[in-house]
Amino acid sequence: MAFRFELQCTDTSTALGTPARRGVFHTPHGPVQTPGFMPVGTQGTVKGLTIDQVAGTGAHMILGNTYHLGLRPGHEVVKTLGGLHAMSGWEGPILTDSGGFQVFSLDGINKISEHSVIFRSHIDGALIDLTPEYSMQIQESLGSDVAMVLDHVVALPAEKDAVQDAMERSIRWAKRCLEYAGRADQAKFAIVQGGLDVELRVQCAREMAAMNFEGYAVGGLSVGEPPPEMYRITQATTPELPQQKPRYLMGVGRPIDLLESVARGIDLFDCVMPTRNGRNGYAFTDAGPIKIRNAKHKTDTSPLDPNCDCLACTRHSRGYLRHLFIVGEMLGPSLLSLHNLTYYQKVMQGAREAIEQGCFAQYMATKKQQWGIE
Ligand SMILES: Cc1ccc(CCc2c3nc[nH]c3cc3c(=O)[nH]c(N)nc23)cc1
Ligand SMILES: [Zn+2]
């Protein structure tokens, strides 16, 4: 069996009506410990880090993108280079997004029809006709272990009929992706849409659950809605998804969002925050966030985070890291990205251990207190 989700134990200590879950998602490129965080490697690289550094953070699975790689260098080139694994050298599991979200979120014209979404390449202006089948074909060339279905995401806030129209189209497109005769060693994940409307979310989740996907993502969130709204929708959606399949909350989130969502039954996460914020000099630590450019760090010889064993925290001071950002040295963004990814993996490792011990609620409360959250 190329793919298998092994649900090891659950923890109901948070009493949110759906338990936190500890599991292992087995893939052809190795196991992924859940709950787990997947670093974003949009262009086939986690920006500023070597793959050995990414592995060193504790990451098991990384993300690639159909939209970007499909445009440049083009999926045929990636295929000729042996696929994303051979090209990047990453030997672990890879998940690729379908490209739809990038089309809808990158401002610019796009034309939606039942057939596809047509958009102009932001690189050379060429018209691209992205059908569910073409998205699957690109992801097949990329050779990812998990391919996301092509979905239609509407920007929030949106009228209920627009959300319903996009949700129903996403169901029809998901069916077309499932029917696409791809490779046996590539899993397909469904993506549940429905905006912030519980009724639409439940309907969509049930229709997707009735189709035989290897995993289920909750999409259409982390698009600017208030975190409590994200939690409310997640909590309404996960109970409708198959218990024995992995659940992936797309684009989430801050460390607190990861824990609040684990408590509501989510197994996998991705987010650009640790790397994007790292590149901008914003570090996540047990004592809360640090803006390294702040003058108060200028002569600070202490490490970024005394509890962290990453290269940035064991080899350098806050004063040096600040200096790198002030003079614009490329090592600065790399080191803070490395630290943030290490930090995210440590938060998730703690979550996995807490669920195993049945004390996830206590773990979340402790982290909230450390982070200065009510
Ligand atoms: C490389 C890569 C980058 C980013 C992503 C996830 C991108 C992403 C979202 N990010 C925030 N919210 C999101 C919602 C959706 C969504 O509803 N559908 C899809 N297909 N992707 C989403 C996947 C892969
Ligand atoms: Zn560190």
Side-chain angles (χ1 to χ4, degrees), residues 7 22 65 75 92 106 127 155 159 196 202 209 216 222 232 251 283 294 305 345 350-351 370 372:
L7 183 56
R22 172 75 173 93
N65 204 306
H75 71 98
L106 289 176
L127 273 181
E159 291 299 315
L196 300 179
V202 168
Y216 292 81
S222 189
R232 176 176 69 87
N294 190 310
D305 185 333
Q345 293 300 338
Q370 272 181 3

Side-chain angles (χ1 to χ4, degrees), residues 85-157:
H85 285 95
M87 191 171 121
S88 68
W90 177 259
E91 294 169 355
I94 296 177
L95 178 148
T96 45
D97 199 5
S98 51
F101 179 76
Q102 289 70 30
V103 170
F104 299 119
S105 54
L106 289 176
D107 55 5
I109 55 129
N110 58 62
K111 183 180 173 306
I112 284 278
S113 71
E114 191 51 29
H115 172 71
S116 68
V117 54
I118 298 175
F119 64 96
R120 273 197 190 287
S121 159
H122 71 285
I123 294 159
D124 62 9
L127 273 181
I128 314 286
D129 182 19
L130 187 62
T131 62
E133 293 77 12
Y134 186 40
S135 175
M136 288 292 121
Q137 184 189 1
I138 293 172
Q139 295 181 77
E140 204 178 342
S141 298
L142 299 181
S144 52
D145 298 277
V146 175
M148 303 308 294
V149 297
L150 182 67
D151 53 339
H152 182 186
V153 195
V154 289
L156 295 180

Side-chain angles (χ1 to χ4, degrees), residues 284 304-305 308-314 335 338-340 342-343:
F284 293 95
L304 200 55
D305 185 333
C308 182
D309 60 0
C310 88
L311 189 65
C313 297
T314 53
L335 284 175
L338 179 69
H339 166 76
N340 283 346
T342 303
Y343 189 74

Side-chain angles (χ1 to χ4, degrees), residues 38-44 62-66 68-69 95-102 104-105 148-154 191-193 201 217-225 248-252 270-272:
M38 306 180 285
V40 166
T42 299
Q43 312 259 36
I62 64 171
L63 269 54
N65 204 306
T66 292
H68 297 86
L69 293 161
L95 178 148
T96 45
D97 199 5
S98 51
F101 179 76
Q102 289 70 30
F104 299 119
S105 54
M148 303 308 294
V149 297
L150 182 67
D151 53 339
H152 182 186
V153 195
V154 289
I191 305 177
V192 175
Q193 293 297 341
R201 285 280 176 176
V218 179
L221 293 175
S222 189
V223 290
E225 76 283 356
Y248 162 28
L249 180 54
M250 303 188 87
V252 174
D270 88 87
C271 190
V272 294

Side-chain angles (χ1 to χ4, degrees), residues 217-333:
V218 179
L221 293 175
S222 189
V223 290
E225 76 283 356
E229 283 293 274
M230 176 169 67
Y231 305 159
R232 176 176 69 87
I233 292 301
T234 301
Q235 192 167 335
T237 306
T238 50
E240 305 300 332
L241 298 175
Q243 286 199 2
Q244 295 307 321
K245 296 288 179 69
R247 298 146 179 189
Y248 162 28
L249 180 54
M250 303 188 87
V252 174
R254 299 167 304 161
I256 184 57
D257 300 321
L258 300 181
L259 299 187
E260 292 284 2
S261 306
V262 166
R264 292 168 172 83
I266 297 292
D267 305 303
L268 291 169
F269 300 88
D270 88 87
C271 190
V272 294
M273 277 187 94
T275 39
R276 184 174 294 168
N277 287 22
R279 292 196 299 277
N280 295 319
Y282 188 100
F284 293 95
T285 78
D286 272 345
I290 286 178
K291 294 189 180 87
I292 199 64
R293 285 192 179 88
N294 190 310
K296 70 183 177 184
H297 302 303
K298 187 169 186 173
T299 55
D300 188 338
T301 55
S302 68
L304 200 55
D305 185 333
N307 304 333
C308 182
D309 60 0
C310 88
L311 189 65
C313 297
T314 53
R315 292 289 299 280
H316 304 299
S317 66
R318 291 183 181 197
Y320 176 66
L321 292 169
R322 177 180 178 276
H323 160 68
L324 293 177
F325 275 88
I326 297 301
V327 298
E329 279 293 337
M330 61 195 286
L331 185 60

